[in-house]
Amino acid sequence: MADRGDEMVIAGMRPYQMVDDSNPHLRLHRGITFVLFIDSLVLLFIGSQFGAYLPDGMSSIAIGVLAGLLIAVCLAYRRRSPVAYWPGAAIIGLAGGFFGINALMSLYGFIMGDMSFLLWMFLFTWATFGSARRSISHFHPAYKNAYFGRSENLQQIELEPGEMLAACPHCMAILAIRPDLLSSKDTCPYCNSSLVSEHLASKYEEE
């Protein structure tokens, strides 16, 4: 059977970005590494706000230690060090919680009549779901295998004519699909989420 690894597209990744990896989840790792870096800056900002309540000397030390730990986790996660796997997921999850709280606060401000909160509500909601999905990715066996360098033989999946391998955009489960037959009613057998959005399905139906 021909190698189908180059036909798999992780949600949010362009096909041409994946040419260098035999396992597409390694491309996802690079994307999560970037998100981890951004979320680490967010946590550092939060830490600096709480550090203002400490004495001057203690504040500088606490922020310095926090910055050192976040940098160490980011660098270790980029190298796919085993010790950084769950700390990286925790950092992304904590940042997602921060975004979620701000989304609720923005929603409250919008309900109270301040229209300027509407944009912040959408931005924080988008950031919340983005961080949550990337944090949850660490529980998926395929991503965990790719991170720890454990081989995953995709060639064992028997494909029928017209089928190709793809990843669920929600839980990243590897599926054999018929792209020409997908509709908005098709769901992932693992997470029961829609494989194709209604907007995308209607677009191709019109064509």
Side-chain angles (χ1 to χ4, degrees), residues 170-189:
H170 302 282
C171 70
M172 297 184 303
I174 304 301
L175 306 172
I177 65 169
R178 285 283 300 272
D180 55 325
L181 299 180
L182 281 178
S183 69
S184 58
K185 297 181 180 179
D186 292 317
T187 59
C188 173

Side-chain angles (χ1 to χ4, degrees), residues 11-189:
M13 299 293 179
R14 299 183 182 92
Y16 70 81
Q17 290 180 315
M18 300 167 55
V19 296
D20 296 331
D21 291 322
S22 59
N23 190 325
H25 290 98
L26 295 180
R27 290 300 304 181
L28 180 63
H29 168 259
R30 297 184 185 181
I32 293 180
T33 300
F34 177 75
V35 172
L36 174 61
F37 172 73
I38 299 299
D39 287 352
S40 295
L41 294 180
V42 172
L43 291 186
L44 183 60
F45 170 76
I46 298 173
S48 66
Q49 299 302 303
F50 283 102
Y53 296 99
L54 298 175
D56 292 338
M58 291 296 297
S59 175
S60 300
I61 295 175
I63 294 175
V65 171
L66 177 61
L69 289 175
L70 293 174
I71 292 174
V73 172
C74 285
L75 293 177
Y77 192 92
R78 183 182 180 185
R79 298 193 304 268
R80 290 189 287 149
S81 172
V83 297
Y85 188 76
W86 290 115
I91 290 174
I92 297 174
L94 287 174
F98 169 76
F99 294 141
I101 293 174
N102 279 272
L104 293 176
M105 294 175 61
S106 299
L107 175 61
Y108 176 77
F110 174 71
I111 293 175
M112 297 302 294
D114 191 340
M115 296 297 295
S116 64
F117 281 101
L118 182 61
L119 176 61
W120 290 110
M121 182 182 68
F122 281 111
L123 290 176
F124 281 122
T125 300
W126 174 78
T128 299
F129 282 103
S131 293
R133 286 178 58 183
R134 286 163 176 80
S135 182
I136 294 174
S137 298
H138 293 78
F139 293 94
H140 195 279
Y143 179 71
K144 186 180 296 186
N145 288 337
Y147 183 94
F148 289 101
R150 295 192 288 261
S151 62
E152 185 176 11
N153 191 358
L154 300 175
Q155 296 183 4
Q156 294 179 353
I157 301 178
E158 295 293 336
L159 298 178
E160 297 180 358
E163 287 186 339
M164 64 177 292
L165 294 177
C168 171
H170 302 282
C171 70
M172 297 184 303
I174 304 301
L175 306 172
I177 65 169
R178 285 283 300 272
D180 55 325
L181 299 180
L182 281 178
S183 69
S184 58
K185 297 181 180 179
D186 292 317
T187 59
C188 173

